[in-house]
Structures are given as C-alpha cells and as structure tokens.
Amino acid sequence: QRFSALRALGEVMGLVLSDRSIYDPSVQASPTASGRAEHASACTKLIHEMLVRSLLPKFGALLGDKEPLPSHGIIILRLVMEHNSAFGIILHRLGLVPRIIGFLDPSSSHCSSQVASLVKLLVECGDIDLSELYDSGLGDKAGALVDHMAATHAEAFYEPVLETVSAIMYHTASQVQDVEDDGGDPSALLDRNLPLLECAPSLSALCILSSGAEDPLTPDGGGSTTH
C-alpha cells in the first residue's frame, strides 16, 4: 500500500512539475502580472510549501526503508531537482545528501541510474560545497561505479554516470583554476579525484566497441564515410 501511494505520488509530481501553468519557479507575483502568471505563482508557492514542510522531511526515513520504497523516493527527488535545482540546499539541510551519495556505491542494493542522475544534479546545483560531497565518498563511489559498469557492461548506467563524472571534473577544473589564479596549491583538489583518475582504464574501455557492435562513424552507424 505504501509503495502504491509513493508511486502514484511520483506520477502526480511528474505531471505537476512539468506543467508551467501550474509550476514555474521563475514567475514572481506582482501587481502587473497576468492572470496566468499570478495563478502559476500561487500554485508554485503552495507546491514549495508542501515539499519543504510536508514531503521532503519524510525522506530521511523513506530512504532508510526497504526496497522498492527508497528507489521510488530517489525518482521523486530527481524529478524535484530536475525542475528546480534550488532544492539541492534543502536536501543538504535535511541531511539527505550523504545517504544519496552512499547509494552511488555499486555494492549498494539501492544503486541505480536514477541515483547517478540525482548525484549529477547535486554536483551541478551550485549550492552545495563539493568538499562535503567528497567527504561523503563521492570520488571513491563514482570511481568504483565506473569500474563496475565497464566490467559488467551495465549500459543503463553509461549516460548518467559519465555525465556525473564529467560534472565532477568540470567543477574540479574550475576550482583548480581559481586556486592557481590566487597563487595557491591545488594539490588537495586533485588528490580527492584520484579514484576518478584511477578508473581511467575503465573509461578507455568504454570507448572500445564490443564485438559485433555498430561503429557510429561508419555508414551503418549514421556517420560520415569521408576520409
């Protein structure tokens, strides 16, 4: 019964958050706003209050429950973050981020492509100090997951995990540049990414086509034949 209710909630949230006539974080209430904008602003405010006061505080217990409840909870959190990255700081304040990062571990029964997508959104949201994500094991778990998906050919993980790794490395490069511009030593920033550097052979292996696979650069794969 709880699972059915959670699944229904996820479906409703998906419909509501994707409808800009109902949910639009960019709309601000004002005396000159149109009737449609005013309606969207009022609905958005109600949704925010429901999420912050009623729903999200329950996710600490939900993520610690038995499957499939945590997995569907992750789907809802991903939906929320996709439509409004500002909720990243709310998840952080509720203490949910370390648990989410823990789910990224390939040995976890909760590990999924949905978790990888959610972690990418947390990395990119800009409201959470990346050092806190690393303290929760982001580097180690992301590196282990890359090795796992390369060894097991877990194709469902390819896109979200590689996008997560790309986001991590992009933000690291930006931080390294800032530190060097200030005359500092970026060694600590680089050291915490060693697990991702160590999984480079796995990343390279993903670039090699498996036997019988179509090459995207050949006519059959849709690429150009020009040499």
Side-chain angles (χ1 to χ4, degrees):
Q1 183 178 0
R2 287 194 302 151
F3 167 65
S4 298
L6 188 63
R7 183 171 60 181
L9 175 62
E11 292 172 354
V12 171
M13 290 293 295
L15 293 172
V16 169
L17 294 178
S18 61
D19 188 340
R20 281 294 173 263
S21 68
I22 299 176
Y23 184 75
D24 188 350
S26 66
V27 173
Q28 298 291 331
S30 71
T32 59
S34 66
R36 183 173 181 177
E38 197 171 310
H39 175 263
S41 176
C43 290
T44 298
K45 182 179 180 180
L46 288 173
I47 293 168
H48 283 172
E49 289 179 354
M50 182 273 292
L51 288 170
V52 173
R53 297 181 181 179
S54 302
L55 183 60
L56 295 181
K58 294 180 172 60
F59 270 70
L62 181 64
L63 296 182
D65 213 321
K66 295 180 180 179
E67 287 290 355
L69 295 179
S71 291
H72 278 269
I74 289 293
I75 291 173
I76 292 175
L77 293 180
R78 180 186 59 77
L79 280 170
V80 170
M81 284 292 296
E82 278 184 346
H83 290 283
N84 191 347
S85 62
F87 276 99
I89 193 63
I90 304 297
L91 302 187
H92 175 261
R93 289 172 181 169
L94 290 171
L96 299 177
V97 172
R99 182 164 288 178
I100 294 168
I101 298 295
F103 286 3
L104 199 64
D105 190 327
S107 65
S108 169
S109 60
H110 308 303
C111 186
S112 69
S113 59
Q114 295 282 343
V115 174
S117 296
L118 177 55
V119 170
K120 169 182 172 287
L121 294 169
L122 292 172
V123 170
E124 292 180 333
C125 79
D127 294 322
I128 304 175
D129 189 338
L130 279 185
S131 64
E132 295 187 33
L133 300 183
Y134 280 98
D135 289 343
S136 298
L138 175 63
D140 291 331
K141 291 177 174 60
L145 187 52
V146 169
D147 287 335
H148 171 77
M149 72 179 193
T152 60
H153 305 289
E155 295 184 7
F157 283 89
Y158 286 2
E159 184 174 349
V161 172
L162 293 178
E163 287 182 346
T164 300
V165 171
S166 177
I168 293 170
M169 299 309 291
Y170 172 81
H171 284 278
T172 297
S174 298
Q175 290 181 321
V176 167
Q177 185 65 57
D178 290 342
V179 170
E180 289 181 336
D181 288 346
D182 292 336
D185 182 1
S187 298
L189 295 173
L190 298 173
D191 288 345
R192 70 188 189 184
N193 281 289
L194 281 177
L196 295 179
L197 298 177
E198 291 170 350
C199 73
S202 294
L203 290 171
S204 299
L206 293 174
C207 299
I208 301 173
L209 293 171
S210 59
S211 177
E214 289 186 350
D215 187 338
L217 300 181
T218 64
D220 289 341
S224 171
T225 59
T226 303
H227 296 285

